[in-house]
């Protein structure tokens, strides 16, 4: 936990304005300014903002703003942990074009540049976890007097790599990049009280917990915005061998030609209800996309608190695992028997109801009594999955709140599905 510093708000705003004027930037977004202020106040910061929001700008201007504040030295340095040399190279090239002193560390880097890094020439130093932690030269650098005086903090860009690359889900396996799981060692190398900032656009609840654990975040300042882009989805479509691609995606190509960059939502797309009712699967029939919508229900309290026996928990797990298997099995059967070109919403299909969601439901099973409870307790976006989970809970517990027609109307009134017909959604 960093030792906080009380910044003068007016001085901070003047320093930001001066830096933005130097860089030719009109203004910062509110989240960017907030993250920067908290970081320079020596608070650990967790930034989870959508792709293209401008997360990198936060740590890029941090040393420039700090050097204009009386609480910091005239020359300030920030170390940025980045996963790929290509990313470091691109960012350094862009920063240097704007007159910002930046360099990056990797094995094949020119010795003159590496020497300049050690001498504190650069305001921004990019490096991989492997460089900073497994090479004695850079570990010593972080502990030297020059860096103790001028270093203002550490930023971990693409912080989801801590979980995705630094951890292994199977005992005995070696993590893809094990040094990501040892980033907390940096706290012992830098001056006591320096803040850490973790930035990502991709953080599930599990990933967030791993980031907090590895970076030793206790009560960081959190800046979070939903990554859901309603105009962006992944779809996977099987195309028959020899079939013209325009036969399948002509509607999309035409929409882009007509609207260009303004084609945020294509008029050809069916809404969820219409798409569910359409089983023709003919060429030109739009895919049944199911984009997650409003999920701002996290602040609402869960409905009840029940006692769950070990036997009930085992039965619940078994039924949830059966549901998960049935979703996959029936969708694949539909692909083989009924369809010529099956369209799957990839993130929902592969990530929407897996072991992760099952464990989340089991973790909160004592408090789930309604469809809304399911959605708040687990990372389940699709309404139909929440309905099926509630049906299972009704089979296991006798205290479930009745699912009213209004609560289930989006699904039941349109297609009156039961579990045997779930494959039509995929």
């Amino acid at each position: 936990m960093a030792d906080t510093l009380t910044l003068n708000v007016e001085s901070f705003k003047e320093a930001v304005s001066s830096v933005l004027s130097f860089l030719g930037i009109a203004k910062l977004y509110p989240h960017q300014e907030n993250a920067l202020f908290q970081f320079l106040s020596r608070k650990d910061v967790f930034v989870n903002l959508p792709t293209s929001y401008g997360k990198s700008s936060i740590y890029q201007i941090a040393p420039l703003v700090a050097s204009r504040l009386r609480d910091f030295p005239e020359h300030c340095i920030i170390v940025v942990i980045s996963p790929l040399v290509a990313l470091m190279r691109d960012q350094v090239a862009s920063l240097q074009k704007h007159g910002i002193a930046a360099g990056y560390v990797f094995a094949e880097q020119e010795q003159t540049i590496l020497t300049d890094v050690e001498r504190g020439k650069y305001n921004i130093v990019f490096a991989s976890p492997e460089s900073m932690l497994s090479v004695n030269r850079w570990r010593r650098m972080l502990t030297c007097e020059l860096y103790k005086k001028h270093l203002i903090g550490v930023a971990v860009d693409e912080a989801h790599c801590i979980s995705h690359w630094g951890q292994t889900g199977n005992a005995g396996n070696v993590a893809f990049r094990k040094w990501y799981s040892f980033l907390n060692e940096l706290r012992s190398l830098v001056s006591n009280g320096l803040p850490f900032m973790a930035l990502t656009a991709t953080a599930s609840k599990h990933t967030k917990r791993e980031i907090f654990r590895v970076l030793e975040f206790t009560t960081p300042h959190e800046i979070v915005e939903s990554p859901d882009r309603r105009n962006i989805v992944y779809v996977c479509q099987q195309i028959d061998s020899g079939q013209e691609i325009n036969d399948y995606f002509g509607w999309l190509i035409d929409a882009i030609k007509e609207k260009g960059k303004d084609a945020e939502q294509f008029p050809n797309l069916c809404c969820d209800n219409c798409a569910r009712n359409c089983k023709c699967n003919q060429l030109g029939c739009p895919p049944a996309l199911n984009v997650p919508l409003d999920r701002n229900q996290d602040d609402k309290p869960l409905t009840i608190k029940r006692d769950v026996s070990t036997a009930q928990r085992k039965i619940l797990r078994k039924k949830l695992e059966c549901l998960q298997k049935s979703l996959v099995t029936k969708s694949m059967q539909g692909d083989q028997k009924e369809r010529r070109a099956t369209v799957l919403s990839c993130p929902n299909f592969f990530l929407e109801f897996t072991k992760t969601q099952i464990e989340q439901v089991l973790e909160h099973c004592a408090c789930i009594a309604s469809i809304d409870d399911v959605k708040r307790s687990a990372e389940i976006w699709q309404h139909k999955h929440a309905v099926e989970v509630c049906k299972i809970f009704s089979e296991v517990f006798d205290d479930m709140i009745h699912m009213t027609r209004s609560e289930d109307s989006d699904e039941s009134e349109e297609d009156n599905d039961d579990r045997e017909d779930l494959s039509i959604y995929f």
Side-chain angles (χ1 to χ4, degrees), residues 89-107:
R89 182 184 297 114
D90 290 345
Q91 290 203 51
V92 167
S94 176
L95 290 166
Q96 289 178 345
K97 287 181 181 179
H98 288 86
I100 299 175
Y104 60 105
V105 173
F106 75 108

Side-chain angles (χ1 to χ4, degrees), residues 138-167:
W138 307 119
R139 292 176 70 98
R140 287 196 302 268
M141 179 191 75
L142 293 177
T143 62
C144 74
E145 288 302 318
L146 186 149
Y147 269 77
K148 284 184 178 297
K149 178 180 179 180
H150 295 279
L151 186 66
I152 63 169
V154 176
V156 181
D157 203 7
E158 308 294 346
H160 53 273
C161 293
I162 291 174
S163 174
H164 296 178
W165 289 355
Q167 310 295 320

Side-chain angles (χ1 to χ4, degrees), residues 146-213:
L146 186 149
Y147 269 77
K148 284 184 178 297
K149 178 180 179 180
H150 295 279
L151 186 66
I152 63 169
V154 176
V156 181
D157 203 7
E158 308 294 346
H160 53 273
C161 293
I162 291 174
S163 174
H164 296 178
W165 289 355
Q167 310 295 320
T168 174
N170 299 317
N173 288 357
V174 178
F176 174 50
R177 294 178 64 176
K178 67 175 185 178
W179 289 106
Y180 262 106
S181 64
F182 296 108
L183 283 175
N184 58 332
E185 287 188 23
L186 291 174
R187 289 194 183 271
S188 66
L189 300 175
V190 302
S191 297
N192 185 40
L194 283 187
F196 277 57
M197 179 189 300
L199 306 99
T200 179
T202 311
S204 64
K205 293 179 181 178
H206 170 75
T207 300
K208 180 179 175 181
R209 284 196 299 269
E210 287 301 301
I211 292 171
F212 279 34
R213 182 185 65 82

Side-chain angles (χ1 to χ4, degrees), residues 317-416:
R317 177 183 292 277
K318 183 176 181 179
K319 287 180 177 289
L320 290 171
E321 290 174 348
C322 287
L323 170 61
Q324 192 265 339
K325 291 178 182 178
S326 72
L327 294 176
V328 176
T329 301
K330 289 182 174 60
S331 66
M332 298 308 295
Q333 288 174 345
D335 181 33
Q336 295 168 2
K337 296 179 180 179
E338 300 175 7
R339 297 179 185 177
R340 182 178 163 197
T342 300
V343 179
L344 302 178
S345 178
C346 290
N348 289 338
F349 179 72
F350 290 113
L351 304 178
E352 181 68 22
F353 201 83
T354 63
K355 182 179 179 181
T356 298
Q357 283 71 36
I358 291 174
E359 294 301 326
Q360 290 170 345
V361 170
L362 290 169
E363 180 183 353
H364 297 92
C365 64
C367 302
I368 292 176
S370 68
I371 292 174
D372 284 343
D373 288 347
V374 173
K375 292 181 178 180
R376 289 196 294 271
S377 301
E379 295 173 278
I380 294 177
W381 280 343
Q382 294 199 46
H383 182 79
K384 65 179 182 294
H385 291 344
V387 171
E388 291 302 313
V389 170
C390 273
K391 289 179 182 179
I392 290 174
F393 268 72
S394 296
E395 296 170 4
V396 178
F397 306 106
D398 57 6
D399 58 356
M400 286 292 291
I401 294 175
H402 293 297
M403 289 185 290
T404 62
R405 294 296 291 180
S406 61
E407 198 173 19
D408 195 24
S409 60
D410 289 342
E411 302 292 327
S412 60
E413 290 182 5
E414 292 295 336
D415 43 37
N416 199 27

Side-chain angles (χ1 to χ4, degrees), residues 20-34:
L20 296 184
S21 177
F22 167 71
L23 297 176
I25 301 173
K27 64 177 182 179
L28 294 178
Y29 292 124
H31 285 327
Q32 290 174 314
E33 186 171 338
N34 185 14

